[in-house]
Amino acid sequence: MTDLPYLDAATLRRLVPVARAVDLLEDALRDGLDPEDTPRRPIVELPAGQLLLMPAAAGRYAGLKAVSVAPGNPARGLPRIQGTYLLLDGDTLASLAALDGVALTDVRTPAVSALAVRHLAAPDARDLVVFGSGPQAWGHVAALREVRPIDRVTVVGRDPARAEALAAHCRDGGLKAEAVAAPAADAVMAAVSRADLVVCCTTARDPLFPGHLPRDGATVVAVGSHEPDARELDGSLIARATVVVEARSTALAEAGDVIVPIRHGTITTGHLAGNLAELIAGRLEPGPGPRVFKSTGMAWEDLVVAATAYEAWHAAKG
């Protein structure tokens, strides 16, 4: 174990840029990977927060991501989310490498969203609203630019300084961008109503905007929650939308955005149009309303990206 290689954040991002990650995930699904077969992740409640354990096996590799979520850390000047990934040989289960788990999440989560957007959103989608101002928010801006001609971004955040910093980062990247403080209801409503794409990357436990706002044909992506009682989208939006999830089994266990409307009788489980593999295969057709992609994050996605990073590192080393 003392010689176990460690791929840090910079190495991982260099070896697997987000555009490459989008293609890798699509290739894995087209090659027959079934997201419904991914083992359920245990979520262990701890005094300081949660520990998420995400195992997966596919092809030549297996792996496990251990992620901690400590809500009190930001007040200490520490990251809320920390983690490490352990990549294993699929046949022997021998350890091959450890990777920065947070960087892995920061690459694969926007890549999964971009893959869904590639198949759900209108080809000319340009106007993006992002709820959140952290790494996932910027990661989604960068990833969605790889699949759609984004030229305008509205950043909605609770912290005006952080939201403006992200908007400035977008402007530095050649985009028209503005920041809106989350309590500014009129500005938020106007932005969501006109948007082609809305991405929710927050720690919110309650809906971020009224469900009637997204227009028909708009695509809404929600990635911020993985608990059955937490949601970023309200039931009225879910009810009028074509809803795609990573895997039905995972969504019905973890995604409050769909579990809460089912619990309230707003929708049934049959309302879910399909999973990501079915979307990629062209086996579902969006309806006339908005399109929603609800992501909770799955272990197969980490494994696909981690294995490719390891192979690229190994090839460069040898």
Side-chain angles (χ1 to χ4, degrees):
M1 290 293 291
T2 56
D3 295 329
L4 190 70
Y6 180 76
L7 278 60
D8 63 16
T11 300
L12 178 63
R13 294 189 177 100
R14 175 176 55 81
L15 294 174
V16 189
V18 67
R20 173 71 174 133
V22 176
D23 292 337
L24 289 169
L25 295 165
E26 179 155 12
D27 289 345
L29 294 172
R30 291 195 183 280
D31 288 344
L33 188 150
D34 184 354
E36 302 291 348
D37 288 340
T38 302
R40 287 279 305 279
R41 64 178 165 198
I43 300 177
V44 182
E45 299 295 334
L46 301 174
Q50 292 180 324
L51 180 63
L52 283 64
L53 302 174
M54 301 179 65
R60 298 167 50 199
Y61 299 100
L64 173 70
K65 186 168 74 174
V67 175
S68 62
V69 182
N73 272 7
R76 304 183 181 102
L78 298 172
R80 177 176 176 270
I81 298 175
Q82 302 173 84
T84 301
Y85 194 85
L86 181 63
L87 183 68
L88 310 173
D89 179 87
D91 291 329
T92 67
L93 300 185
S95 299
L96 298 175
L99 298 86
D100 185 308
V102 172
L104 182 59
T105 303
D106 287 348
V107 170
R108 65 87 155 138
T109 303
V112 171
S113 297
L115 178 55
V117 166
R118 176 186 277 174
H119 292 271
L120 276 178
D124 61 349
R126 298 176 178 276
D127 192 327
L128 170 64
V129 174
V130 178
F131 284 83
S133 55
Q136 281 294 339
W138 168 247
H140 275 76
V141 173
L144 296 188
R145 294 186 76 180
E146 297 291 343
V147 298
R148 287 297 182 267
I150 306 297
D151 62 14
R152 178 175 183 174
V153 179
T154 303
V155 180
V156 182
R158 291 175 299 179
D159 184 323
R162 290 186 62 186
E164 176 52 36
L166 177 55
H169 194 22
C170 292
R171 290 193 292 270
D172 289 343
L175 296 166
K176 292 176 286 186
E178 63 176 338
V180 175
D186 290 345
V188 172
M189 292 178 68
V192 173
S193 296
R194 70 165 187 264
D196 302 312
L197 295 166
V198 179
V199 176
C200 304
C201 312
T202 75
T203 58
R205 302 190 64 86
D206 297 301
L208 295 167
F209 53 85
H212 69 272
L213 290 179
R215 57 178 180 76
D216 291 351
T219 297
V220 181
V221 175
V223 306
S225 66
H226 61 269
E227 298 173 80
D229 294 317
R231 55 181 179 154
E232 296 173 295
L233 310 179
D234 75 8
S236 65
L237 173 57
I238 296 296
R240 57 186 281 255
T242 298
V243 181
V244 178
V245 294
E246 287 160 302
R248 289 178 179 84
S249 55
T250 298
L252 293 174
E254 299 183 2
D257 301 78
V258 298
I259 293 171
V260 173
I262 290 171
R263 188 185 301 152
H264 291 168
T266 306
I267 62 169
T268 66
T269 57
H271 184 73
L272 301 183
N275 66 26
L276 191 57
E278 292 163 338
L279 176 67
I280 300 313
R283 297 202 296 269
L284 63 90
E285 188 69 30
R291 297 90 183 263
V292 165
F293 177 63
K294 171 54 193 169
S295 167
T296 60
M298 294 188 68
W300 70 266
E301 302 155 356
D302 295 310
L303 180 59
V304 167
V305 175
T308 299
Y310 171 74
E311 290 178 350
W313 173 85
H314 193 269
K317 172 177 166 289

